[in-house]
Amino acid sequence: MFRTSCFVCLLALSSLNARLSSFAGSPEPPSQDGPKHIRILTIGNSFTHNATRFLDEIVEAAGHKLTHKMLSIGGSPLERHAKMAMAFESDPTSELAKYKSGDTLQESLKSEPWDFVTIQQLSFKSHNVETYRPYAQQLAEIIRRDAPQAKLLLHQTWAYRNDDPRFSRVNPSAGEPATQQEMYEGLRAAYRTITSELSANRIPVGDAFWIADNDPKFGYQPPEGFDAKSLEYPSLPEQKHSLHVGYTWNQTSDKPQLKMDGHHANLAGEYLGACVWFECLYGESPVGNEFAPNQLGADYAAHLQTIAHQAAQQGGDVAHGVLQSLSAAEKDSARPHQDVRGRTPSNK
């Protein structure tokens, strides 16, 4: 059953949907400035992998270039990345400062003239603003010292699927969100607060997921009366238009086990996230982009493009391309991008 939103969320969602219809019919024209080469360093976990999975293809279809290096640890919060960076500050030879690839944050920051560096919080902690402190600030200071030309962005992660087991715990911890809406409202406030504290910008993937999940036509709704215990292999419940992995069968053992992953993005969620990233990095709408995974279908892919564009346009703290994200002083000193090389995604 469609969830009842709070008054503020209803107003916001109504406004976004009204603007959505206008965007859908008028995609932005392709850039007339020629190919752009954007360089990004991302610091995160599996959610960064999810949200950038299709970014290379979208960028290529738009006629641009991308260099992407990822420093990722599965299940890692900001605290983990910050402690690794602080270990390097104490001892540049410390093994505690190294990622699995052997890279350190400080060395990676100096390895390319990055346009953007992104950080994100662990999704499970995302609703609690106190878990961002002091780690986001510690990372921001190192990033701005070692890559002063780069714009700092916060990758806003998303709320879990509305039927995720997190929201049905018998004895939840204090402050634990009880619904998808509570989780979204918490993370939305936390990311905006930290973005303001750091004088940074956001990549609003979490906003895009929320808008898409509440769309009257394409929003995901759990099947009524569904009981996971009644399923027999290989049957699965209807999960049309889900942005999350959801129910799957684990066949690694002799007896298949039913799994539920309401956290990570599935193919549709990954595509939606990458469309948001594209607009924030390149300052161009993804609406009309010729790349979309075949499994999505043309209509649904176009819908996700429009949702991504909507999310990228609805906040003053959202990034809108490299030059648009720079201050007037930074624009005057911005270096020209003469070294146009091929895409070099690494550690993905």
Side-chain angles (χ1 to χ4, degrees), residues 86 141 229:
M86 298 309 291
E141 290 175 358
K229 295 179 181 179

Side-chain angles (χ1 to χ4, degrees), residues 212-272:
D213 267 335
N214 285 277
D215 184 84
K217 179 180 179 181
F218 290 105
Y220 169 75
Q221 296 299 321
E224 292 187 15
F226 170 67
D227 181 6
K229 295 179 181 179
S230 66
L231 281 183
E232 295 184 2
Y233 178 79
S235 298
L236 288 172
E238 174 60 57
Q239 300 182 96
K240 186 177 182 181
H241 297 150
S242 173
L243 301 173
H244 303 77
V245 173
Y247 287 100
T248 58
W249 287 99
N250 182 354
Q251 302 181 57
T252 58
S253 61
D254 294 337
K255 183 179 179 180
Q257 300 292 320
L258 184 66
K259 296 177 60 179
M260 169 53 171
D261 181 356
H263 299 193
H264 294 92
N266 62 9
L267 183 137
E270 289 174 329
Y271 183 67
L272 175 62

